[in-house]
Amino acid sequence: LAHANLPDLVALDRVDYTGIDLVFCCLPHGTTQAVIAKLPMHVRVVDLSADFRLFDTATYAQWYGHAHQAEGLQKEAIYGLTELHRAQIKSARLVANPGCYPTCSLLPLIPLVKAGLIETKDIVIDAKSGVTGAGRSAKQANLFSEISDGFSAYGVGKHRHMPEIEQELSRVACSDIQVRFTPHLVPMNRGMLSTIYVSLKGCTINDIRQALEAAYAGESFVKLMPKGVAPATQQVRGTNNCFINVFEDRIPGKAVLVSVIDNLCKGASGQAVQNMNVMLGFGEELGLPKVAMFP
Amino acid sequence: LAHANLPDLVALDRVDYTGIDLVFCCLPHGTTQAVIAKLPMHVRVVDLSADFRLFDTATYAQWYGHAHQAEGLQKEAIYGLTELHRAQIKSARLVANPGCYPTCSLLPLIPLVKAGLIETKDIVIDAKSGVTGAGRSAKQANLFSEISDGFSAYGVGKHRHMPEIEQELSRVACSDIQVRFTPHLVPMNRGMLSTIYVSLKGCTINDIRQALEAAYAGESFVKLMPKGVAPATQQVRGTNNCFINVFEDRIPGKAVLVSVIDNLCKGASGQAVQNMNVMLGFGEELGLPKVAMFP
Amino acid sequence: LAHANLPDLVALDRVDYTGIDLVFCCLPHGTTQAVIAKLPMHVRVVDLSADFRLFDTATYAQWYGHAHQAEGLQKEAIYGLTELHRAQIKSARLVANPGCYPTCSLLPLIPLVKAGLIETKDIVIDAKSGVTGAGRSAKQANLFSEISDGFSAYGVGKHRHMPEIEQELSRVACSDIQVRFTPHLVPMNRGMLSTIYVSLKGCTINDIRQALEAAYAGESFVKLMPKGVAPATQQVRGTNNCFINVFEDRIPGKAVLVSVIDNLCKGASGQAVQNMNVMLGFGEELGLPKVAMFP
Amino acid sequence: LAHANLPDLVALDRVDYTGIDLVFCCLPHGTTQAVIAKLPMHVRVVDLSADFRLFDTATYAQWYGHAHQAEGLQKEAIYGLTELHRAQIKSARLVANPGCYPTCSLLPLIPLVKAGLIETKDIVIDAKSGVTGAGRSAKQANLFSEISDGFSAYGVGKHRHMPEIEQELSRVACSDIQVRFTPHLVPMNRGMLSTIYVSLKGCTINDIRQALEAAYAGESFVKLMPKGVAPATQQVRGTNNCFINVFEDRIPGKAVLVSVIDNLCKGASGQAVQNMNVMLGFGEELGLPKVAMFP
């Protein structure tokens, strides 16, 4: 960005908020609650941290290791999965932008849970992310030589995006849902793919297709792929898109959902801009690429 | 290999088999049955194709699209997962070297199915392979620019390694087992990781650990990793090792197995050499690296 | 592009050119001359092949192995390095879009040769390209497993972009210039870097900086980087930019130029669009990204 | 290495050197001189740092920013480019294992400088290294996301391996030689390639080939490739080999040398083992792979 003519960075306590309608808050988890609590009331917020994603502050405390520091604000925060909560986002003051894994897993699952088409006790989410999901801090584990030409699982059985996924599925189902979720690290910069194993609840694969088709018919960024085509992260690189497909298993009554996003776009800043567009009444696609950079 | 002093390649019909004890057969699927049928009886064979892996020739015909061409030979073929069938391999004339996905999936599962520790109706295998698994033929899908910096699923619900996995699990269980299996393509040269979701059958995670520990205590190449350590393909790159670990899920009664191999070694030629060593009475580790090339 | 609403592809001999102002011609080298010769006169052309880049048709025949098939057209073709030939491009009917290596090498060299600041007998261009430079045809040499985790030289001493570089340098110098040029293949999708070794002709490194600064002061896409900063292809990924820097050697009177482009943008289709913008009187930046996709 | 049965690490001041013939010293530059000075006299040393590579301690001080701390030891240190100084290495107490860039550049150049076949004022070395050359410390610049899918130059005009290259070339030429040298970073784990531009001194390309052929005829690890074949780092991955080739330039009297090594083997620990083998009278190839791991 060295050659772009950007305004200077200003320290947080010297910002003049006059004339500022909305801020994107991109601070580390745990530091955001205090910062947002001090913002003037006229400033609307899209927060990219995890600080306001869990509306049950006890769950927050359990997964993040400390008490919530802005419980009042939490009550008004809207979970910013745009396609799911668009109406509330429109008038929200504080939008908690979802994690990348939850975005990629919830988009295919929500319409099916909502319509009661799949068993809710039996969901396995096997998720794979590019390395940018780990951020830019200088840790040995993220060095090129550690990651290149290799593949690994991490956080098996206990990743922080689990409660976020479960919160939104449970709200839609009006009952507690627990999922099995394993994240993996792919030697690529950006991209995320979820392979989701579900059991059909007395319906066919075509019912699943129709439910997904119907749910996302009017959406700009979420698409059901043609029958049989396998989603690949390359197809959404650099875009705010989420591509989904569903495959029949050989075992009757079982199906596999596959979804892909760019973890830095629909999984982070892209969805943040999408939410801003909704909040400020802009066209929802404004500033958001839809054609993938391939290769 | 240009600088190694290797003997000249000889056309198949001009080979003098005098003094040859064993051949490795590395032909494409479907072409091997006829070739092996013509070999002199004193020559023992390790076949790296899929042609003799399925002992039910009807299953073979269904998955490979043509009738089996050497049904007699099939009857004497031994499935070459060394750790499982070592005794029979020792005296076999024809060993069908296992596929990479079956090797990586069966090694963690077999001891648990054998001991009746997991439900057999509920096994999900989410597998990921480096690009060398696709061979060296010049296809657009395998170009660097198609694969680099991306991740995709393929063959969802219908990969040819499925029946191989099911055959061996069913034999051990003495009942028909079907698994859910999805392969994925990782932008790396070599390496394979299986994430396997299982339900415990009235046992604890420690029982699982003990069963794996006991099964592989005397093995050179298969290791259970220390509690909590996530397997990564880098740990076995260039070796004939298979590293396994098991993790407790938050949902009671559920567990996740993770296993890694080098798909070109334990998943192909390494296991072929291991089988030759067993067949000819050599030390089983002969010629097989155990220290990974990292990075 | 599956989800974009694009018009259908039409066979070449069925195109209705009414209302078409300009075509991009992206055919293989050697096939374009005949095709363009048949286009209606009102249609202007940006040709991305090498077919019209060399104005000496004998040189063309020597490097491409067959006689030129549209010598008349060649006479009116303008070499489309926008920054160098903008005035002529504006009114050209046929623009020969430059190769990626020539673009990356000429942009830093042209102002220095023009100003007589460097020796012209002593230019060494060591160039490195991402794999997309080799196109998308299914060749073994371009497979992921051949290229990943490796680096190689190719076409040493005889690459077809040589005469293109020499033609433009010689025109500017008004004397014949020959360069030493070696291309290399980098295991990355897109990006190109040239390291150029020059001898100063009685001037200082600051004279070089000033000449480059002056030459590109009014340009949108070509930038001299701050002193000491090493150009990297990541800085221009997905953009039409060319970033240049110059470094003093320890040996007095010697300097090193380093330039980077995205070979698919400024090195191919980006520059083609830039030329179209100039030809049709649009803003030169129209449709061309300037902020890199990093990572 | 977790599964190898290795002895425990022991703190430096608690080592019992009885029965130890030789140590490999792998400490950071600047810390080794003091450590080696304290070793018992019967212990021979291969030092992998840069601390004893430059026999002129003033040059050392200039490039490494502090005075040499063991000038006495420096006098007896032998520069460990095995093929060049084998006789002295055999009886040396302290061998300074060469840097990776010097190894890769000196092996093709030394025989030509020695035979007076090339101009010594006109050598350009354009070198490219995999990321492991930067070590394993947790720096942002070495993160996967910074390096993957990109290529950059660094240390232009002032890399610390320059004086090492010049020292050895000058010794062989019996006159001061300065080279132009630019290192680059390739997005791969291991591998190094040098492209070297030289001017012939009244000889032909065949004289160059013969000189290289003759120099390395009896060597295990250094090979001249067949005419026209381009060296690639993949050909030497995991081996202690150095492959070299030479190409004629179109400009009469000019040639291009290309050499490849694995920077972690012949460029570091492999050559250290090779030197140990020479020092202790073992077979020089002992423990050193010669067949590349490809892919």
Side-chain angles (χ1 to χ4, degrees):
Chain A
L1 295 175
H3 291 285
N5 253 335
L6 298 172
D8 289 343
L9 286 175
V10 175
L12 206 52
D13 53 5
R14 303 191 53 184
V15 177
D16 175 5
Y17 288 100
T18 320
I20 290 183
D21 295 317
L22 184 143
V23 301
F24 294 107
C25 206
C26 308
L27 296 164
H29 304 314
T31 64
T32 315
Q33 290 155 355
V35 168
I36 292 182
K38 287 187 203 146
L39 290 177
M41 284 307 294
H42 79 276
V43 176
R44 298 170 78 185
V45 182
V46 177
D47 178 27
L48 284 95
S49 84
D51 275 18
F52 291 98
R53 290 179 192 157
L54 301 174
F55 57 73
D56 179 359
T57 52
T59 306
Y60 175 84
Q62 176 195 335
W63 285 86
Y64 288 89
H66 57 259
H68 200 286
Q69 289 158 51
E71 301 215 2
L73 268 174
Q74 181 62 63
K75 288 194 186 99
E76 54 168 299
I78 302 300
Y79 188 77
L81 189 64
T82 327
E83 287 76 12
L84 185 58
H85 298 301
R86 186 178 283 115
Q88 288 171 278
I89 290 166
K90 203 169 289 194
S91 56
R93 184 182 166 237
L94 168 55
V95 170
N97 212 56
C100 46
Y101 285 121
T103 296
C104 192
S105 305
L106 289 169
L107 285 170
L109 281 172
I110 289 282
L112 310 185
V113 170
K114 200 181 266 181
L117 295 174
I118 57 171
E119 300 288 347
T120 57
K121 295 206 174 155
D122 200 24
I123 298 170
V124 172
I125 302 171
D126 194 278
K128 299 89 176 175
S129 173
V131 180
T132 52
R136 204 182 184 183
S137 57
K139 295 179 189 158
Q140 193 192 63
N142 296 334
L143 294 179
F144 182 90
S145 303
E146 306 286 314
I147 285 169
S148 173
D149 214 41
F151 184 85
S152 57
Y154 69 98
V156 188
K158 50 172 195 214
H159 191 279
R160 284 170 169 183
H161 282 176
M162 269 183 176
E164 218 179 303
I165 296 172
E166 294 175 349
Q167 163 182 294
E168 295 301 309
L169 289 181
S170 299
R171 282 213 277 193
V172 160
C174 302
S175 69
D176 278 2
I177 293 185
Q178 279 194 306
V179 297
R180 308 177 70 181
F181 170 72
T182 310
H184 301 78
L185 192 57
V186 183
M188 65 179 174
N189 280 328
R190 44 168 87 201
M192 172 166 285
L193 185 147
S194 294
T195 311
I196 307 175
Y197 298 85
V198 295
S199 298
L200 307 186
K201 215 161 142 184
C203 73
T204 68
I205 198 87
N206 280 333
D207 298 331
I208 300 280
R209 287 195 73 83
Q210 280 169 27
L212 290 167
E213 195 76 77
Y216 298 119
E219 292 294 340
S220 295
F221 298 114
V222 189
K223 301 284 173 199
L224 181 66
M225 303 191 81
K227 232 171 169 172
V229 176
T233 62
Q234 294 95 322
Q235 295 155 349
V236 296
R237 194 193 291 146
T239 77
N240 198 49
N241 296 334
C242 175
F243 286 178
I244 299 172
N245 214 345
V246 60
F247 300 86
E248 200 159 17
D249 205 289
R250 274 177 327 142
I251 306 180
K254 307 286 186 184
V256 184
L257 293 156
V258 183
S259 58
V260 289
I261 60 170
D262 181 327
N263 60 304
L264 294 183
C265 292
K266 185 61 180 171
S269 54
Q271 187 153 245
V273 170
Q274 188 182 0
N275 283 327
M276 176 195 73
N277 288 341
V278 170
M279 292 164 83
L280 301 184
F282 300 156
E284 199 166 316
E285 304 183 13
L286 196 70
L288 293 171
K290 291 179 67 181
V291 176
M293 189 164 110
F294 173 77
Chain B
L1 295 175
H3 291 284
N5 252 335
L6 298 172
D8 289 343
L9 286 175
V10 175
L12 206 52
D13 53 6
R14 303 190 53 184
V15 177
D16 175 4
Y17 289 100
T18 319
I20 291 183
D21 295 317
L22 185 143
V23 301
F24 294 106
C25 206
C26 308
L27 295 165
H29 305 314
T31 64
T32 315
Q33 290 155 354
V35 168
I36 293 182
K38 287 187 203 146
L39 291 176
M41 283 309 294
H42 80 275
V43 176
R44 298 169 78 184
V45 182
V46 177
D47 178 27
L48 285 95
S49 83
D51 274 19
F52 292 98
R53 291 178 191 158
L54 300 175
F55 55 72
D56 179 357
T57 52
T59 305
Y60 176 85
Q62 176 195 335
W63 284 88
Y64 289 88
H66 57 259
H68 200 287
Q69 288 157 53
E71 302 214 1
L73 269 175
Q74 182 61 64
K75 289 197 185 93
E76 54 168 299
I78 302 300
Y79 188 77
L81 190 64
T82 328
E83 287 75 13
L84 186 58
H85 298 301
R86 185 178 283 116
Q88 288 172 278
I89 291 166
K90 203 169 288 195
S91 56
R93 185 185 166 235
L94 168 54
V95 170
N97 212 55
C100 46
Y101 285 122
T103 296
C104 192
S105 306
L106 289 169
L107 285 170
L109 281 172
I110 289 281
L112 310 186
V113 169
K114 201 181 265 180
L117 295 174
I118 58 171
E119 300 287 348
T120 56
K121 293 203 175 154
D122 201 25
I123 298 170
V124 172
I125 302 171
D126 194 278
K128 300 89 177 175
S129 173
V131 180
T132 51
R136 203 182 185 182
S137 57
K139 294 180 190 158
Q140 194 192 63
N142 295 335
L143 294 178
F144 183 89
S145 303
E146 306 286 314
I147 284 169
S148 172
D149 215 40
F151 184 86
S152 56
Y154 69 99
V156 187
K158 51 174 193 210
H159 192 279
R160 284 168 168 184
H161 283 177
M162 269 184 176
E164 219 180 303
I165 297 172
E166 293 174 349
Q167 162 182 297
E168 295 301 308
L169 289 181
S170 300
R171 282 213 276 192
V172 161
C174 300
S175 70
D176 277 2
I177 293 186
Q178 278 194 306
V179 296
R180 309 177 68 182
F181 169 71
T182 310
H184 300 79
L185 192 57
V186 183
M188 63 180 176
N189 280 329
R190 44 167 88 202
M192 172 167 284
L193 184 146
S194 294
T195 312
I196 307 175
Y197 298 85
V198 296
S199 299
L200 308 186
K201 215 162 143 183
C203 73
T204 69
I205 199 87
N206 280 335
D207 298 330
I208 301 281
R209 287 195 73 83
Q210 279 168 27
L212 290 167
E213 195 77 76
Y216 297 119
E219 292 294 341
S220 296
F221 298 114
V222 188
K223 301 284 173 201
L224 180 66
M225 303 190 81
K227 232 171 169 172
V229 176
T233 62
Q234 295 95 321
Q235 297 156 348
V236 296
R237 193 193 291 147
T239 77
N240 198 48
N241 296 334
C242 175
F243 285 178
I244 299 172
N245 214 344
V246 60
F247 300 86
E248 200 160 16
D249 205 289
R250 274 177 326 142
I251 305 180
K254 307 285 186 184
V256 184
L257 294 155
V258 183
S259 58
V260 289
I261 61 170
D262 182 327
N263 59 305
L264 293 183
C265 292
K266 185 62 180 170
S269 54
Q271 186 152 246
V273 170
Q274 187 183 1
N275 283 327
M276 176 196 72
N277 288 341
V278 170
M279 291 164 83
L280 301 183
F282 300 155
E284 200 167 316
E285 304 183 12
L286 195 70
L288 293 172
K290 290 178 68 181
V291 176
M293 189 164 110
F294 173 77
Chain C
L1 295 175
H3 291 284
N5 253 334
L6 298 172
D8 289 343
L9 287 175
V10 175
L12 206 52
D13 53 5
R14 303 191 52 185
V15 177
D16 174 6
Y17 289 99
T18 320
I20 291 182
D21 296 317
L22 185 143
V23 301
F24 293 106
C25 206
C26 308
L27 296 165
H29 305 315
T31 64
T32 315
Q33 290 155 355
V35 168
I36 292 182
K38 288 188 202 142
L39 290 177
M41 285 307 296
H42 80 276
V43 176
R44 300 169 77 184
V45 182
V46 177
D47 178 28
L48 285 95
S49 83
D51 274 19
F52 292 98
R53 292 178 191 157
L54 300 175
F55 55 73
D56 179 358
T57 53
T59 306
Y60 176 85
Q62 176 195 336
W63 284 86
Y64 289 88
H66 56 258
H68 201 286
Q69 289 158 51
E71 302 214 1
L73 268 174
Q74 182 61 62
K75 289 197 185 95
E76 54 168 301
I78 302 301
Y79 188 76
L81 190 64
T82 327
E83 288 74 13
L84 185 58
H85 298 301
R86 186 177 284 116
Q88 287 172 279
I89 291 166
K90 203 171 289 194
S91 57
R93 183 182 168 239
L94 169 54
V95 170
N97 212 56
C100 47
Y101 284 122
T103 297
C104 192
S105 306
L106 289 169
L107 286 170
L109 281 171
I110 289 282
L112 311 184
V113 170
K114 201 181 267 180
L117 296 173
I118 58 172
E119 300 288 347
T120 57
K121 294 205 174 153
D122 200 24
I123 299 170
V124 172
I125 302 171
D126 193 278
K128 299 90 176 175
S129 172
V131 180
T132 52
R136 203 182 185 182
S137 57
K139 294 179 190 160
Q140 193 191 64
N142 296 335
L143 294 178
F144 182 90
S145 303
E146 306 287 313
I147 285 169
S148 172
D149 215 41
F151 184 86
S152 56
Y154 68 99
V156 188
K158 50 169 196 218
H159 192 279
R160 285 169 168 183
H161 283 177
M162 271 183 174
E164 219 180 302
I165 297 172
E166 294 175 350
Q167 163 182 295
E168 295 301 309
L169 289 180
S170 300
R171 282 212 276 191
V172 160
C174 301
S175 70
D176 278 0
I177 294 186
Q178 279 195 306
V179 297
R180 308 176 69 181
F181 170 72
T182 310
H184 300 79
L185 192 57
V186 184
M188 65 179 175
N189 279 328
R190 42 167 89 200
M192 172 167 283
L193 185 146
S194 294
T195 311
I196 306 174
Y197 298 85
V198 296
S199 299
L200 307 186
K201 215 162 142 183
C203 73
T204 69
I205 198 87
N206 281 334
D207 298 331
I208 301 280
R209 286 194 73 82
Q210 279 168 28
L212 289 167
E213 195 76 77
Y216 297 119
E219 292 295 340
S220 296
F221 298 114
V222 188
K223 302 284 173 199
L224 181 67
M225 303 191 81
K227 232 173 170 171
V229 176
T233 63
Q234 294 96 320
Q235 297 155 348
V236 297
R237 192 193 293 147
T239 77
N240 198 49
N241 296 334
C242 175
F243 286 178
I244 299 172
N245 215 344
V246 61
F247 300 86
E248 200 160 15
D249 205 290
R250 275 176 325 143
I251 305 180
K254 306 285 186 185
V256 184
L257 293 155
V258 183
S259 58
V260 289
I261 61 170
D262 181 328
N263 59 305
L264 294 184
C265 291
K266 184 64 179 169
S269 55
Q271 186 152 245
V273 170
Q274 187 183 0
N275 283 327
M276 176 196 72
N277 288 341
V278 170
M279 291 163 84
L280 300 183
F282 300 155
E284 200 167 316
E285 305 184 11
L286 197 69
L288 293 171
K290 290 179 67 180
V291 176
M293 190 166 110
F294 173 77
Chain D
L1 296 174
H3 292 284
N5 253 335
L6 298 171
D8 290 343
L9 287 175
V10 175
L12 206 53
D13 52 7
R14 304 192 52 184
V15 176
D16 174 5
Y17 288 100
T18 320
I20 291 183
D21 296 317
L22 184 143
V23 300
F24 294 106
C25 206
C26 308
L27 295 164
H29 304 314
T31 64
T32 313
Q33 289 155 354
V35 168
I36 292 182
K38 288 187 203 146
L39 290 178
M41 284 308 294
H42 79 277
V43 175
R44 300 171 76 184
V45 182
V46 178
D47 178 28
L48 285 95
S49 83
D51 275 19
F52 292 98
R53 291 178 192 157
L54 300 175
F55 55 73
D56 179 358
T57 53
T59 306
Y60 176 84
Q62 176 195 334
W63 284 87
Y64 289 88
H66 57 258
H68 200 286
Q69 288 158 54
E71 302 215 2
L73 268 175
Q74 181 62 63
K75 287 193 188 97
E76 55 169 299
I78 302 300
Y79 187 77
L81 190 63
T82 328
E83 286 76 14
L84 186 58
H85 298 300
R86 185 178 283 115
Q88 288 172 279
I89 290 166
K90 203 170 289 195
S91 56
R93 186 185 164 236
L94 168 55
V95 169
N97 212 56
C100 46
Y101 285 122
T103 296
C104 191
S105 306
L106 290 169
L107 286 170
L109 281 171
I110 289 282
L112 311 186
V113 169
K114 201 180 266 180
L117 295 174
I118 58 171
E119 300 288 347
T120 57
K121 295 204 176 157
D122 200 24
I123 299 170
V124 172
I125 302 171
D126 193 278
K128 300 89 176 173
S129 172
V131 180
T132 51
R136 204 183 184 181
S137 58
K139 295 179 190 159
Q140 194 192 63
N142 295 335
L143 294 178
F144 183 90
S145 304
E146 307 286 314
I147 284 169
S148 173
D149 215 41
F151 184 86
S152 56
Y154 68 99
V156 188
K158 50 171 196 215
H159 192 279
R160 285 170 168 183
H161 283 176
M162 269 183 176
E164 218 178 303
I165 297 171
E166 293 173 350
Q167 162 183 295
E168 295 301 309
L169 289 181
S170 300
R171 283 213 275 193
V172 160
C174 302
S175 70
D176 277 0
I177 293 185
Q178 277 194 308
V179 297
R180 308 177 69 181
F181 170 71
T182 310
H184 299 80
L185 191 57
V186 184
M188 64 179 175
N189 280 328
R190 44 168 88 203
M192 173 167 283
L193 185 147
S194 293
T195 311
I196 307 175
Y197 299 86
V198 297
S199 298
L200 307 186
K201 216 162 142 183
C203 73
T204 69
I205 198 86
N206 280 334
D207 297 331
I208 301 281
R209 286 195 74 83
Q210 279 169 28
L212 289 167
E213 196 76 76
Y216 298 120
E219 292 294 341
S220 295
F221 298 114
V222 189
K223 301 284 173 199
L224 180 66
M225 303 191 81
K227 230 172 172 172
V229 176
T233 62
Q234 294 95 321
Q235 296 155 349
V236 296
R237 192 193 293 147
T239 76
N240 197 50
N241 296 334
C242 174
F243 285 178
I244 299 172
N245 215 343
V246 60
F247 301 87
E248 199 160 18
D249 205 289
R250 274 176 326 142
I251 305 179
K254 308 284 186 185
V256 184
L257 293 156
V258 183
S259 58
V260 289
I261 61 170
D262 182 327
N263 59 305
L264 294 183
C265 292
K266 184 64 178 168
S269 55
Q271 187 153 246
V273 170
Q274 186 182 1
N275 282 327
M276 176 194 73
N277 288 340
V278 170
M279 292 164 82
L280 301 184
F282 300 155
E284 199 167 315
E285 304 183 14
L286 196 69
L288 293 172
K290 291 179 66 181
V291 176
M293 189 165 109
F294 172 76

